[in-house]
Amino acid sequence: MAYTAADVKKLRELTQAGMMDCKKALDETDGDFDKAVELLRVKGAAKAAARGAERETSAGLVAASGNALISLLAETDFVAKNEAFVAAAQQIAEAADTHKVGDAEALKAIALGEKTVGEVVQDLAITIGEKIELGQVAYFEGTTTVYLHKKASDLPPTLGVLVEYTGDEAAAKQAAQQAAALKAQYLTSDQVPADVVESERDVLTKKTLEEGKPEAAVAKIVEGRIGAFFKEIVLLDQESVFEAKKSVKQVLDAAGTTVTRFARFEVGA
């Protein structure tokens, strides 16, 4: 079956494959346009899988919609600011919010137009030519606010914090900004896993002994340092960046606001 230059052009526009790849596909399928499309998609998927095995997704963006926050990952900042990439990320965030999905694997199965979210991500990787992955996903049922942060003016947001709260939105927004700036990992000290606390306690005990502190005082010193450790990683225990000498909890309490949970996604961290 013969094909024309117009067929090659149409195939390239549809699949975003290179001109020579389009010609080879039409040659291999004897000019059958539909088979050529399928062949290019299969080859593109194979290339994307090969890239996935050897490359890292250290760039990308975060996107939010309603009560949902997602991260979409790529290899380079160049792709992260690609219009198609940015638009797809926003659509995926909207799908997470619409379908109330807070799990990445579950979100991949959700329909987005005629395809699933997973297929949209895969097609992006094939079209753009980089490894692309759906990263983290969060969805909260309650009242939420979100803070998105750009590390460079020419790039999309790469850091996002979604906060679920009751009370004053401005206070909750400040809590989101606090979590973004000081890299909070947990809401309360009770949420810090026991193994994390014990590992830190072990390190601090060894460090305290190496400092030559009296053995009888080591346990008390270590517990004090564990408290300082919590103030670094626990949001409510952190010193507020908005009001000096007050904890985040004290600031929230004064505003009649309670943060019930939060999610912090940072691309490349």
Side-chain angles (χ1 to χ4, degrees), residues 177-198:
Q177 293 171 320
Q178 170 94 24
L182 270 64
K183 301 183 179 181
Q185 298 176 41
Y186 307 95
L187 180 62
T188 68
S189 57
D190 291 341
Q191 293 176 357
V192 183
D195 60 330
V196 172
V197 177
E198 287 309 307

Side-chain angles (χ1 to χ4, degrees), residues 51-181:
R51 287 194 298 270
E54 61 189 30
R55 298 183 185 178
E56 293 185 359
T57 49
S58 57
L61 58 77
V62 293
S65 177
N67 286 21
L69 177 70
I70 67 106
S71 62
L72 189 62
L73 309 177
E75 295 176 49
T76 64
D77 287 339
F78 179 77
V79 166
K81 59 184 178 182
N82 176 287
E83 288 185 7
F85 184 86
V86 173
Q90 189 59 43
Q91 290 171 352
I92 291 170
E94 290 168 3
D97 182 51
T98 299
H99 295 278
K100 302 181 179 181
V101 178
D103 175 79
E105 288 305 313
L107 183 56
K108 288 178 184 178
I110 294 298
L112 192 58
E114 297 181 351
K115 300 177 181 179
T116 65
V117 168
E119 289 169 340
V120 168
V121 173
Q122 183 182 47
D123 285 353
L124 266 179
I126 294 170
T127 300
I128 293 175
E130 277 197 8
K131 180 180 180 181
I132 295 174
E133 295 179 314
L134 177 62
Q136 296 169 290
V137 177
Y139 175 84
F140 297 156
E141 288 280 357
T143 302
T144 64
T145 189
V146 67
Y147 171 68
L148 302 179
H149 178 73
K150 291 184 177 184
K151 294 182 179 179
S153 60
D154 64 332
L155 294 175
T158 55
L159 171 59
V161 179
L162 179 70
V163 167
E164 183 185 68
Y165 71 96
T166 57
D168 180 64
E169 182 176 8
K173 177 78 77 173
Q174 284 190 347
Q177 293 171 320
Q178 170 94 24

